[in-house]
């Protein structure tokens, strides 16, 4: 199984002091920045604009893990590739041509992520996984920070890891939403290795962001 990685959810950062927060995340040893893109249609919310990403890209070496919560993501792939995305993750829901989308992301030289809402059955991955680098199992319905973790997704994470083993492919299995010291042990045991850190962990506001990021990273690695 792949190494444990922490992807810090940028939408949970302090936008009024964003660069300061990014420096703290770097010093705290996070592995990438999770960038939630919302179009107000796929999810009833809006998030992270392209100008912000354009300004941020030259300021940090942290990889951009872009999570597109948008309908019809394909026309936007090249834009996010130009903005410096390293992973481009799109949702399975509402997209019929998943091989086509995966290949479109690969053609741009980016890592392919496929996201599944909590109620989405993962069995189709048996046919798709060789074209995918990361499976993002949503542990809340996407759209808002600070939601309640959906425990049924633990079994799905296990099934996704099982499918990967059956096919002999090594993918990152990421989890997003309500990821905390309470939920990480269950998810890691089930086979998750990428943890999206939001308000339930490093951005709780209870401790300094750098300290929290370092502590949470160590927790996820040793659990
Ligand atoms: C949910 C977002 C998550 C969220 C995670 O739509 O995709 O990235 O920010 O943060 P918490 O820990 O607040 O659930
Ligand atoms: Zn996300």
């Amino acid at each position: 199984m792949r190494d444990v990685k922490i992807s810090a959810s940028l939408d949970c950062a302090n936008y009024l002091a964003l660069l300061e927060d990014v420096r703290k995340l770097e010093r705290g040893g996070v592995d990438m920045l999770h960038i939630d893109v919302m179009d107000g249609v796929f999810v009833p919310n809006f998030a992270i604009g392209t100008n912000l990403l354009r300004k941020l890209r030259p300021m940090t070496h942290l990889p951009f893990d872009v999570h597109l919560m948008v309908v019809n993501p394909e026309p936007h792939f090249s834009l996010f590739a130009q903005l410096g995305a390293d992973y481009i993750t799109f949702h399975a829901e509402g997209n019929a041509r998943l091989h086509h989308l995966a290949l479109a992301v690969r053609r741009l030289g980016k890592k392919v992520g496929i996201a599944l809402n909590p109620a989405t059955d993962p069995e189709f991955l048996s046919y798709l996984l060789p074209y995918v680098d990361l499976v993002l199992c949503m542990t809340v319905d996407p759209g808002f920070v600070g939601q309640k973790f959906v425990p049924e997704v633990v079994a799905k994470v296990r099934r996704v890891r099982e499918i990967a083993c059956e096919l002999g492919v090594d993918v990152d299995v990421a989890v997003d939403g309500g990821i905390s010291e309470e939920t990480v042990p269950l998810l890691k045991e089930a086979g998750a290795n990428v943890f999206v850190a939001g308000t339930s962990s490093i951005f709780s506001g209870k401790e300094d962001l750098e300290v929290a990021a370092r502590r949470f990273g160590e927790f996820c690695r040793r659990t």
Side-chain angles (χ1 to χ4, degrees):
M1 200 169 86
R2 295 198 173 176
D3 289 346
V4 164
K5 284 177 223 159
I6 305 299
S7 195
S9 183
L10 203 67
D11 201 30
C12 301
N14 177 9
Y15 281 117
L16 300 180
L18 188 62
L19 201 51
E20 236 169 83
D21 271 11
V22 170
R23 295 288 172 255
K24 287 181 181 181
L25 293 168
E26 290 170 345
R27 291 196 297 269
V30 307
D31 300 282
M32 36 194 190
L33 295 177
H34 183 85
I35 292 159
D36 283 322
V37 178
M38 306 183 191
D39 66 353
V41 182
F42 185 81
V43 290
N45 201 359
F46 294 91
I48 312 197
T50 51
N51 277 338
L52 182 68
L53 297 183
R54 199 169 281 117
K55 293 245 162 66
L56 188 61
R57 185 59 294 180
M59 307 302 287
T60 177
H61 293 297
L62 286 174
F64 280 3
D65 162 31
V66 174
H67 174 196
L68 296 176
M69 286 163 271
V70 305
V71 293
N72 192 21
E74 188 179 1
H76 312 301
F77 288 163
S78 61
L79 171 62
F80 286 96
Q82 282 163 28
L83 289 169
D86 296 274
Y87 287 81
I88 297 181
T89 295
F90 52 86
H91 272 260
E93 298 82 14
N95 288 308
R97 302 164 73 224
L98 295 175
H99 287 89
H100 172 82
L101 295 183
L103 290 171
V105 170
R106 282 229 168 130
R107 265 199 302 278
L108 292 166
K110 305 299 174 188
K111 296 246 168 66
V112 179
I114 176 103
L116 281 69
N117 282 347
T120 300
D121 191 311
E123 289 309 315
F124 73 92
L125 290 173
S126 305
Y127 308 99
L128 190 74
L129 228 43
Y131 302 82
V132 166
D133 301 291
L134 175 143
V135 179
L136 180 62
C137 294
M138 292 305 302
T139 34
V140 297
D141 267 329
F144 298 93
V145 303
Q147 300 185 84
K148 204 173 162 305
F149 178 80
V150 177
E152 286 75 14
V153 181
V154 176
K156 176 157 61 181
V157 167
R158 197 181 303 285
R159 182 62 192 134
V160 171
R161 191 52 85 185
E162 213 171 74
I163 295 171
C165 289
E166 283 164 16
L167 297 176
V169 296
D170 189 17
V171 292
D172 281 317
V173 179
V175 283
D176 182 7
I179 302 307
S180 68
E181 292 196 10
E182 209 175 301
T183 55
V184 165
L186 306 167
L187 293 162
K188 191 176 173 191
E189 191 275 324
N193 71 302
V194 179
F195 300 98
V196 176
T199 61
S200 317
S201 60
I202 64 176
F203 292 102
S204 71
K206 287 187 197 138
E207 58 189 336
D208 174 72
L209 183 57
E210 179 184 340
V211 175
R214 188 172 307 114
R215 226 172 43 74
F216 188 62
E218 282 163 7
F219 176 83
C220 292
R221 278 184 285 274
R222 73 161 183 267
T223 295

